[in-house]
Amino acid sequence: MKEQLRMYKLLAAASLRSRMQYKFNFWFSTIMAAVINVVEFAMLAVILAKFGHIKGWSLEEAGYLYAVLTLSKAIYRTLASDVHHLEHYLVSGDLDNLLLRPIPILLGLMSQNVSFRIGEVLQGMTVLILCMRELFQHGQITWTAIPYTVVIVLSGALLLFAIGLLTASLGFWLTRIEELQTITEDAARTAVQYPVSIYPKWMQGMLLTAIPVAFANYVPSLYLLRGEGGIGLLIASPVVAACLFAAGLLLWRRGLMRYQSTGT
Amino acid sequence: MLFLTLARKTYRRNLQYRGAHMVHNLASAIFGFIYVSIWVGIGQSQSLGTYGLNGMISYVAFNQVSLWVVSFLTNGLGIEQSVRTGQIATDLMRPVHFFYQLMCREWGQIAYQLLYKSIPIYALYLLVLPLHVPSSMITFLWTAVALALAAYISICINYLIGAAALWTTESRWLYWVNYAFSMLLSGFLIPVEWLPGWLRVLSHASFYPFLHYIPSKLYLGLEDASSLLGSAGWCALLTGLCLFVTSRMRRKVEVHGG
Amino acid sequence: MIQVQHLSKQFRTAAAKEGAFKGVRMLFSRDVRIKHAVADINFNIEPGEFVGYIGPNGAGKSTTIKMLSGILHPTSGRVTIDGLSPHHDRRRVARKLGVLFGQRTQLWWDLPVRDSFDILAAMYGIDAGMMKRRLSQLSELLELEPFMDTPARKLSLGQRMRSDLAAALLHDPAILFLDEPTIGLDVTAKRSIRHFLKSINQHLGKTVLLTTHDMDDIEQLCGRVIVINDGKLGFDGSIDDLRRRIGLPTLIRITYKLPIADSAKHAITRSEFNGLQLSCGEDERVLTAACNREQLSAMDALRMLEQYGEIEDVHMEEPDFEEIVHRIY
């Protein structure tokens, strides 16, 4: 494990160096990602500033949900950016290059094309700090919320990674997964940027079971921000993330085996 | 006829991928559904002005449907790639005006997306949402005209974005800036009158409302056909700009000798 | 060093459907076609051998290499590399192998060559001192210095191939798999790659398995040739054996002083005449005879050909290696 961490660091650093070769592109994608994020949030903020609340969720609360998820996503995509792009590796045959190396494939994939999502991190942190300050002043949260938030962000990152890994692994069978990823990763994540209670029951059910991305922010926030449920909701988040990740690793291994026996 | 030939080519090329596009439509429909849910969430406890709850649902859903006709065009009409590969020199020297060529191609793309993306999503929304359907044919007609003009405005904008590649080599950032602006200012998610003051002013001074806000309000019967004059005005202005830029592009390419 | 026993690989492909909704119907289709990419191959390669692995496109060369290097798992049969199975021990086997795919670079596209080497060193856990020694050695042999700081995407094909070779050798593997290492290179670049390969085989004792379509590569480098065709082994032995086995004829072109006599024309129509195959060209005075030197010496052949008239000129062509290979395919 320690050895793998060291290797990840070395490989990630090298890949980051290569990204920096194109300084313009690097800064451009960083800034644009932040701008798009800001605009997305601004739309929610404009609506809530005008109408006060959405199903009882105030701007600060909705902002908290949004910011936590943004940070989780930034961490996931920084650590494992090319897991999301497995389709490209399968189509081009670049996966073979990784298979020739004496390192675990998943680790190799994670360390390719690393990009620090500075824009998203900055934007997420800003919104998070602003919202949490408001929530403090209203007495909705106390200092304990800070370590809890760290746990929520990290388990959210693991959860998003797990969903990404499960979807990518299906690529070993389906090859074409971009459309599927749009649903399981992008659409699902966009859905939980807003309080899940605004959706009809069937969709809430989907976000809690089929693609349980609601555990990344909504479920723990119910307890943390509004004192609903109990601390169990907070604990559920890392537990669900870990279980799903284990399932992801299992499917990944099966998929890789299939790749090696069929040569897709 | 050249227009039909070029348009049909793009249309046909897209047809090969329609299977994958159908899955993508599902994702796109879900996105629209998320936006609709936001307004349903708000509308349950508050009044939604002249729109009403059903009006807002229809407004947002219709915008999601029209996204594929007026917003998601070929990035910079593909000019950036053609600059990178050097193809641009040949295209510019063809006996047909460069803007006209690209515009024809893009209409094929739009026709495809209308048939295989917008209409399926619209049909789905008719089934699952209380979607407002205009009672008179004339409303449909004006909406169609508004969408066609909006698509044309979008073609012009993408042409200008693509053309910038000739001077900056990188024009992708402009595409994203346009995307960000259009989300906020076109009334895609929030009707323009509900934007905070300065954003409202900015929006009204731009062509963005004619992309989503005006077509959707026409569809809902909340706007009359006279607003199409604004669309037409922007179309004329942007056409002039595109023609001017093309002549500049020619000179630029000639100087560089391709 | 390398043992291959009853190695087979089958690919299953869904049979394509025709007509409406073919995409959808294919999803539910149970018609699969089984393609035997590699069928029951056996060979052993000893340490220090330089083996050419040849065959036409689609014969199963790349599939074999992929199975030997652990990228693909065999359907049946066994591979052992230095006692280990690349299937079960992929990561340990990877350390013993250097692999180069001529068609595709393994360098990091956007990185200076030097950085690619750094990453590989990290992957294989080569320490800094060792790395420096290896690199200076390889750099000297392959003349990498002028483009060490150039990103891989800006290298010429020859430079890229040399860098890729260095990348494959960086962790000092005992075995090299080279899949078309000279493809697309010009004559000088080919020559320098061949020279390098020869020296690492002879002086460093590396075991090399080489696939190529360039018969000069085989002739100049390989002590042993394995031919695969349609997934099956066709031949395994030395180049001389291969020549002999095919028995490709020597061509003798005779120009007579006078137009060829009728008796010779008669012999031509019979086409086979005392071990000689005769044919006429445009020129009335020229006769081409193909003879198998194993059966008939050149002098005997000439003596026979003399009977058709006085010979003015003789031209002899030894069988071309390229030809030999075409024969086996």
Side-chain angles (χ1 to χ4, degrees):
Chain A
M1 189 64 199
K2 210 178 120 198
E3 170 64 23
Q4 296 196 353
L5 264 179
R6 191 188 66 92
M7 183 150 320
Y8 175 81
K9 264 190 350 218
L10 269 166
L11 295 175
S15 131
L16 197 65
R17 263 207 307 278
S18 99
R19 283 245 151 168
M20 294 297 279
Q21 295 255 315
Y22 300 95
K23 285 204 188 60
F24 177 80
N25 264 327
F26 180 84
W27 288 113
F28 158 72
S29 50
T30 302
I31 292 167
M32 277 336 290
V35 168
I36 299 291
N37 256 292
V38 167
V39 169
E40 265 186 10
F41 181 69
M43 294 203 293
L44 180 65
V46 164
I47 295 175
L48 285 176
K50 180 157 176 66
F51 291 95
H53 66 93
I54 179 166
K55 277 248 174 150
W57 288 72
S58 66
L59 177 58
E60 299 83 53
E61 290 169 325
Y64 180 87
L65 291 180
Y66 184 91
V68 160
L69 196 69
T70 303
L71 290 173
S72 293
K73 183 200 166 198
I75 294 172
Y76 152 49
R77 293 299 278 277
T78 297
L79 290 181
S81 74
D82 269 15
V83 171
H84 185 75
H85 297 126
L86 183 73
E87 181 177 328
H88 167 80
Y89 281 80
L90 290 173
V91 173
S92 70
D94 279 351
L95 200 67
D96 291 358
N97 274 353
L98 289 175
L99 277 160
L100 288 173
R101 306 295 172 208
I103 50 166
I105 307 303
L106 186 57
L107 189 80
L109 203 58
M110 284 166 66
S111 61
Q112 307 288 308
N113 293 317
V114 172
S115 62
F116 277 123
R117 307 222 151 201
I118 302 170
E120 279 154 284
V121 170
L122 276 179
Q123 192 256 349
M125 284 304 284
T126 313
V127 175
L128 186 65
I129 289 168
L130 290 176
C131 290
M132 285 183 82
R133 211 184 54 187
E134 282 293 306
L135 291 167
F136 259 125
Q137 282 166 359
H138 298 171
Q140 250 178 291
I141 52 173
T142 56
W143 288 109
T144 52
I146 294 174
Y148 284 156
T149 302
V150 173
V151 172
I152 294 173
V153 168
L154 292 179
S155 23
L158 187 66
L159 186 68
L160 293 179
F161 186 7
I163 292 171
L165 187 62
L166 280 164
T167 316
S169 301
L170 287 177
F172 288 115
W173 285 269
L174 306 172
T175 310
R176 222 194 136 106
I177 43 167
E178 242 173 66
E179 283 78 20
L180 192 65
Q181 283 174 329
T182 316
I183 294 177
T184 63
E185 293 203 56
D186 301 331
R189 198 191 54 244
T190 306
V192 295
Q193 279 175 359
Y194 312 102
V196 170
S197 53
I198 64 173
Y199 301 115
K201 281 280 174 288
W202 64 268
M203 191 154 155
Q204 294 188 21
M206 294 275 286
L207 295 170
L208 286 166
T209 54
I211 310 171
V213 68
F215 284 93
N217 59 353
Y218 180 73
V219 174
S221 300
L222 278 178
Y223 168 74
L224 188 67
L225 305 185
R226 333 184 99 211
E228 290 172 29
I231 196 150
L233 293 183
L234 200 74
I235 297 167
S237 163
V239 170
V240 169
C243 290
L244 212 60
F245 189 68
L249 281 179
L250 222 62
L251 192 68
W252 170 262
R253 205 161 295 167
R254 290 285 302 270
L256 200 61
M257 230 138 79
R258 185 192 142 84
Y259 176 83
Q260 290 183 306
S261 53
T262 58
T264 313
Chain B
M1 194 185 152
L2 180 68
F3 175 85
L4 280 178
T5 318
L6 285 172
R8 209 177 287 139
K9 266 255 151 65
T10 347
Y11 180 88
R12 288 260 167 81
R13 205 195 52 216
N14 273 295
L15 270 185
Q16 314 165 44
Y17 307 110
R18 65 192 153 186
H21 287 166
M22 283 300 157
V23 182
H24 200 262
N25 283 345
L26 185 62
S28 182
I30 295 174
F31 276 107
F33 193 70
I34 292 169
Y35 301 136
V36 166
S37 298
I38 294 175
W39 286 108
V40 173
I42 302 248
Q44 274 185 349
S45 53
Q46 281 125 316
S47 133
L48 294 176
T50 49
Y51 297 91
L53 182 57
N54 270 2
M56 258 333 275
I57 290 174
S58 302
Y59 178 88
V60 175
F62 188 78
N63 277 340
Q64 184 70 21
V65 168
S66 63
L67 206 54
W68 293 99
V69 178
V70 303
S71 281
F72 288 167
L73 305 193
T74 311
N75 186 348
L77 302 191
I79 301 177
E80 196 191 309
Q81 276 107 299
S82 117
V83 167
R84 208 175 298 144
T85 58
Q87 174 71 30
I88 183 111
T90 357
D91 284 348
L92 271 173
M93 297 312 149
R94 293 227 167 95
V96 184
H97 197 275
F98 187 56
F99 174 65
Y100 184 69
Q101 286 175 50
L102 294 188
M103 181 194 74
C104 296
R105 273 206 330 230
E106 205 54 28
W107 278 117
Q109 180 81 19
I110 291 169
Y112 172 83
Q113 292 184 168
L114 174 70
L115 278 178
Y116 283 91
K117 296 195 151 174
S118 291
I119 289 179
I121 297 173
Y122 183 77
L124 181 67
Y125 283 165
L126 274 181
L127 286 177
V128 300
L129 292 175
L131 199 60
H132 167 89
V133 180
S135 48
S136 84
M137 278 319 281
I138 200 83
T139 311
F140 269 115
L141 180 70
W142 290 133
T143 310
V145 173
L147 284 179
L149 292 174
Y152 183 77
I153 291 176
S154 214
I155 289 178
C156 293
I157 295 303
N158 270 285
Y159 183 78
L160 295 173
I161 289 172
L166 220 62
W167 285 271
T168 61
T169 65
E170 266 289 347
S171 69
R172 244 174 349 131
W173 62 279
L174 271 172
Y175 175 84
W176 287 108
V177 168
N178 176 51
Y179 175 73
F181 269 122
S182 115
M183 282 213 295
L184 208 51
L185 301 180
S186 67
F188 171 69
L189 182 60
I190 310 159
V192 174
E193 65 263 32
W194 289 347
L195 290 175
W198 56 280
L199 274 178
R200 198 164 59 228
V201 173
L202 200 61
S203 171
H204 279 307
S206 74
F207 55 84
Y208 286 114
F210 297 100
L211 296 183
H212 283 297
Y213 179 67
I214 298 289
S216 287
K217 286 195 85 171
L218 272 167
Y219 176 80
L220 293 176
L222 296 172
E223 190 81 43
D224 60 69
S226 64
S227 57
L228 291 175
L229 288 175
S231 301
W234 275 106
C235 286
L237 190 69
L238 288 167
T239 308
L241 201 55
C242 287
L243 296 181
F244 170 72
V245 166
T246 312
S247 68
R248 281 310 177 87
M249 284 164 85
R250 278 233 176 78
R251 200 169 315 153
K252 171 94 179 163
V253 170
E254 274 159 17
V255 168
H256 283 244
Chain C
M1 199 79 182
I2 303 172
Q3 277 144 0
V4 175
Q5 289 158 351
H6 303 292
L7 189 65
S8 296
K9 180 78 201 171
Q10 297 165 1
F11 292 119
R12 298 153 71 88
T13 46
K17 295 267 178 183
E18 291 300 320
F21 303 112
K22 56 186 172 200
V24 182
R25 283 198 295 153
M26 253 181 84
L27 279 178
F28 302 103
S29 156
R30 308 198 120 236
D31 303 349
V32 279
R33 250 194 318 228
I34 293 183
K35 184 175 178 275
H36 297 268
V38 169
D40 196 26
I41 288 189
N42 294 285
F43 59 80
N44 285 332
I45 295 176
E46 298 305 320
E49 275 196 281
F50 202 128
V51 179
Y53 192 53
I54 58 176
N57 288 327
K61 290 183 310 249
S62 290
T63 308
T64 316
I65 297 265
K66 282 183 180 173
M67 284 193 282
L68 293 183
S69 50
I71 293 174
L72 281 181
H73 293 168
T75 312
S76 63
R78 251 162 63 93
V79 176
T80 47
I81 304 282
D82 204 9
L84 294 172
S85 151
H87 182 162
H88 300 294
D89 262 321
R90 180 185 68 83
R91 287 167 60 189
R92 278 168 74 192
V93 169
R95 291 186 177 278
K96 299 174 187 286
L97 296 179
V99 184
L100 176 145
F101 290 106
Q103 310 262 27
R104 218 173 45 219
T105 183
Q106 294 173 67
L107 303 169
W108 276 253
W109 198 239
D110 299 326
L111 283 181
V113 177
R114 191 186 300 282
D115 288 16
S116 281
F117 293 155
D118 285 342
I119 299 179
L120 287 171
M123 281 186 173
Y124 289 92
I126 309 169
D127 68 63
M130 181 72 94
M131 168 72 182
K132 210 173 160 191
R133 272 202 306 284
R134 293 248 172 84
L135 206 53
S136 70
Q137 194 186 10
L138 285 168
S139 167
E140 192 181 322
L141 284 168
L142 290 162
E143 294 165 50
L144 305 175
E145 209 42 60
F147 47 85
M148 277 294 260
D149 295 304
T150 313
R153 74 196 138 90
K154 288 187 181 156
L155 297 180
S156 75
L157 193 56
Q159 293 172 333
R160 206 215 78 201
M161 211 65 94
R162 267 142 66 201
S163 314
D164 255 317
L165 258 180
L169 282 160
L170 203 63
H171 55 288
D172 197 26
I175 304 170
L176 274 178
F177 293 152
L178 309 172
D179 194 3
E180 309 204 34
T182 55
I183 192 163
L185 299 183
D186 64 34
V187 182
T188 359
K190 274 184 180 171
R191 197 176 298 144
S192 89
I193 296 263
R194 279 185 203 131
H195 177 76
F196 174 75
L197 292 179
K198 193 166 222 157
S199 80
I200 57 164
N201 172 245
Q202 286 176 350
H203 301 132
L204 302 176
K206 307 272 184 211
T207 310
V208 184
L209 183 67
L210 167 87
T211 80
T212 183
H213 282 292
D214 187 322
M215 292 312 146
D216 291 337
D217 286 351
I218 300 280
E219 255 190 314
Q220 293 172 28
L221 293 170
C222 304
R224 174 180 166 194
V225 184
I226 298 178
V227 178
I228 183 173
N229 196 4
D230 216 6
K232 297 185 212 44
L233 280 201
F235 173 85
D236 183 352
S238 70
I239 293 187
D240 290 339
D241 277 348
L242 189 59
R243 269 209 194 97
R244 226 168 288 138
R245 164 100 163 255
I246 305 295
L248 210 64
T250 306
L251 287 182
I252 309 174
R253 213 171 61 211
I254 313 284
T255 311
Y256 294 100
K257 283 216 164 112
L258 299 166
I260 300 159
D262 281 347
S263 54
K265 289 203 176 127
H266 183 61
I268 292 164
T269 53
R270 273 197 290 150
S271 99
E272 179 87 29
F273 176 73
N274 290 347
L276 282 176
Q277 273 198 319
L278 304 177
S279 58
C280 253
E282 298 264 291
D283 194 331
E284 286 243 280
R285 297 186 303 143
V286 176
L287 188 69
T288 310
C291 84
N292 192 330
R293 305 264 299 273
E294 299 275 296
Q295 294 159 21
L296 188 68
S297 78
M299 277 320 289
D300 288 340
L302 279 180
R303 226 167 278 138
M304 267 185 324
L305 290 165
E306 234 171 3
Q307 59 186 315
Y308 304 126
E310 198 179 336
I311 294 173
E312 188 179 76
D313 191 22
V314 178
H315 179 82
M316 280 175 92
E317 264 174 48
E318 286 296 332
D320 186 23
F321 190 72
E322 202 101 9
E323 282 289 308
I324 298 183
V325 172
H326 278 302
R327 275 293 168 99
I328 334 169
Y329 291 171

